[in-house]
Amino acid sequence: MRSLFLLICSCLCTISISAQVQQPNPQYLLKTTFNPVQYKNFYLLTLFQQDETVKQAIKNDPELSNLFKSRTQKIADALKTCGNDIACFAAAFKFTEDEISSIGIRLSHIYKQGAPLNALLKNDVVPSGCYALYGNLKPEEMLAKAWAQDAKAVNHTIEVYVEGAKANYPKIDSIGFNVKDKSYPELVNTNALLSLTAQNNLFFEPSMQFALIALEINERNDAGDYEPMMSTVNKASLGAIKKTNFSAYRYSLILVPGEGPEAPDTELSAGGMLRCRLAAEQYKNGMAPFIMVSGGRVHPYKTKYSEAYEMKKYLVNILRIPESVIIMEPHARHTTTNLRNAARIMFRYGMPMDKIALTVTVKSQSRYIGEVMPQRCIKELGYEPYRLGKRLSDTALEFFPNVMSLQIDFDEPMDP
């Protein structure tokens, strides 16, 4: 399913149509919520909640209003009849293909009727870059595709973190419960009950809340780690970026992909230390003004240690690199998203996207980034998040960040 979805997205990007491709805006600030896991996974749905004119247009639409009523009734019925059947509960919350299609058509109809959705698309959806794969479509088509993406994200989260379906990387990302345990249905039942709160009055809200609580009780809120980073762990480096003359440097930054330890009590692996030393050497040689450390809480399963945070500590405390030089990217779970997430931060923080950057790591991973990963990114993400430059050595490789990296990945809820 994931490969088919990404193949369709990739094809959409290459179709030649008369509409001009709409570009993300580096000055745009994402509309946030108290729960960063929500807006990072379901940005369009978050916008629907936050824009009062759009919210009223959706609530007042007869078809979407009827859908909300039928969905809440379906959930109420599930509470009465599902018993210990987890799949029964999940079916009450997941969107069917027919529903996704009909809702997309209805949203396109509302878009054509007047200003609320027009303004939302122009002022938020397009400049955010979160749905960049659809930037060459007509506005109402882009809206429908963005909705379908968020709906598939809700469904995927429920399938993996409620039903126990196989995650893309099950060794590190799988459900935290035994779905056959006799106590598990009660947790699912309680989650379902909570979705019927009066605050959930838009057609998608019960399902979105059910998915978000599933992530929470699975202890899988990794997407929100250290957020809001601009005012916390990256505050010093963000301030320094605004004062930096990037033309004085060969590279915009030095990216260090992490390596998670396998022992649960190990904070930073030997490989992580060595990668930091490689980066520090390049920094001290004046190659770039910043070092970005990239890696989340990945290895071993449900580790409490963040690769990026531990590498930052090592750079500051052991290698004496100033904190303002170090940019943390604490969410990547795979090598593909080390470079994708780096491109995202570079764009959001106002770094030059047309300037070449440098990644340093051990020989095997560096070769992997240069020779294997572009094809893997196309397969898993639907695009290449970077363009390769020259190889400087076995451990150092140039790359250009790609703004397409802002695109949300619908089936990686811990690092969307």
Side-chain angles (χ1 to χ4, degrees):
M1 181 63 73
R2 183 186 201 208
S3 298
L4 177 61
F5 181 77
L6 292 173
L7 178 62
I8 292 170
C9 292
S10 181
C11 291
L12 286 170
C13 285
T14 58
I15 293 175
S16 176
I17 59 175
S18 58
Q20 185 178 4
V21 175
Q22 303 170 84
Q23 296 295 331
N25 183 350
Q27 276 74 51
Y28 177 80
L29 295 177
L30 291 173
K31 302 291 179 63
T32 61
T33 66
F34 71 94
N35 181 7
V37 177
Q38 176 183 321
Y39 73 80
K40 293 177 80 170
N41 277 282
F42 318 117
Y43 193 58
L44 182 68
L45 303 186
T46 299
L47 292 174
F48 284 172
Q49 286 182 322
Q50 293 195 356
D51 189 305
E52 285 300 324
T53 56
V54 170
K55 188 173 183 177
Q56 288 305 313
I58 291 173
K59 287 177 70 173
N60 295 337
D61 181 78
E63 290 190 24
L64 296 180
S65 178
N66 287 335
L67 176 65
F68 170 73
K69 292 175 183 176
S70 64
R71 180 160 289 274
T72 53
Q73 185 59 54
K74 190 175 182 181
I75 296 168
D77 292 342
L79 286 165
K80 295 177 182 177
T81 62
C82 284
N84 294 335
D85 189 343
I86 304 303
C88 175
F89 280 110
F93 288 93
K94 290 192 294 184
F95 297 99
T96 67
E97 289 297 326
D98 286 344
E99 285 176 329
I100 293 173
S101 177
S102 62
I103 292 169
I105 292 171
R106 195 63 196 169
L107 290 172
S108 297
H109 177 75
I110 297 173
Y111 174 87
K112 294 175 183 178
Q113 281 186 324
L117 281 175
N118 296 41
L120 188 77
L121 206 72
K122 179 181 178 181
N123 298 332
D124 290 289
V125 176
V126 171
S128 76
C130 293
Y131 306 92
L133 279 173
Y134 320 120
N136 60 350
L137 299 179
K138 295 178 180 178
E140 62 271 25
E141 294 173 345
M142 183 183 189
L143 180 64
K145 290 293 183 182
W147 146 248
Q149 177 179 300
D150 279 16
K152 291 176 185 293
V154 169
N155 285 356
H156 177 81
T157 301
I158 294 171
E159 286 163 3
V160 175
Y161 295 105
V162 176
E163 295 181 273
K166 185 179 179 180
N168 292 324
Y169 298 91
K171 287 185 178 180
I172 57 173
D173 296 338
S174 59
I175 190 172
F177 298 99
N178 179 358
V179 297
K180 296 181 179 180
D181 190 287
K182 62 180 181 180
S183 64
Y184 181 62
E186 185 175 48
L187 296 178
V188 178
N189 182 294
T190 305
N191 188 3
L193 178 65
L194 288 168
S195 75
L196 293 178
T197 175
Q199 295 177 334
N200 289 337
N201 50 33
L202 297 178
F203 70 91
F204 61 86
E205 287 182 322
S207 295
M208 183 175 72
Q209 179 179 310
F210 184 71
L212 288 169
I213 291 180
L215 285 172
E216 180 180 66
I217 64 176
N218 272 276
E219 298 178 330
R220 289 306 200 177
N221 276 344
D222 298 49
D225 283 357
Y226 302 101
E227 296 287 5
M229 294 192 297
M230 284 186 175
S231 59
T232 56
V233 292
N234 286 338
K235 183 177 181 179
S237 54
L238 181 60
I241 287 169
K242 295 177 180 179
K243 302 174 184 177
T244 297
N245 177 15
F246 283 92
S247 64
Y249 298 88
R250 182 174 175 180
Y251 301 108
S252 58
L253 62 72
I254 302 159
L255 173 66
V256 190
E259 180 191 59
E262 294 304 326
D265 295 327
T266 301
E267 297 178 9
L268 181 62
S269 69
M273 295 178 191
L274 293 173
R275 294 171 199 207
C276 287
R277 288 188 173 275
L278 288 170
E281 183 179 358
Q282 295 284 0
Y283 170 74
K284 290 175 181 178
N285 288 336
M287 301 298 279
F290 298 99
I291 297 172
M292 183 182 292
V293 286
S294 175
R297 292 186 288 117
V298 185
H299 295 283
Y301 178 75
K302 283 195 174 182
T303 179
K304 61 183 179 180
Y305 295 116
S306 164
E307 294 170 17
Y309 181 74
E310 298 304 327
M311 286 193 291
K312 179 178 178 177
K313 277 172 47 181
Y314 185 79
L315 284 165
V316 172
N317 298 334
I318 304 301
L319 303 184
R320 301 302 179 186
I321 303 297
E323 183 182 4
S324 60
V325 167
I326 305 165
I327 305 168
M328 268 182 59
E329 186 294 293
H331 302 118
R333 305 187 67 74
H334 320 293
T335 307
T336 52
T337 53
N338 285 136
L339 279 88
R340 182 202 69 180
N341 293 359
R344 288 179 175 179
I345 288 180
M346 293 169 74
F347 184 86
R348 301 283 187 212
Y349 287 18
M351 302 180 77
M353 296 295 284
D354 57 351
K355 189 176 181 66
I356 201 164
L358 187 68
T359 181
V360 295
T361 183
V362 294
K363 178 180 177 179
S364 59
Q365 188 181 42
S366 186
R367 291 291 174 185
Y368 186 80
I369 291 170
E371 298 168 10
V372 178
M373 209 170 72
Q375 293 75 30
R376 179 180 164 187
C377 287
I378 292 174
K379 179 181 178 182
E380 296 188 9
L381 303 176
Y383 60 91
E384 294 181 27
Y386 61 96
R387 177 168 58 86
L388 289 170
K390 297 178 183 177
R391 174 166 291 285
L392 304 188
S393 68
D394 285 340
T395 60
L397 179 64
E398 297 177 341
F399 73 96
F400 288 93
N402 182 2
V403 72
M404 188 64 72
S405 298
L406 300 174
Q407 167 70 35
I408 293 173
D409 188 0
F410 81 99
D411 63 352
E412 288 287 347
M414 287 187 287
D415 182 27

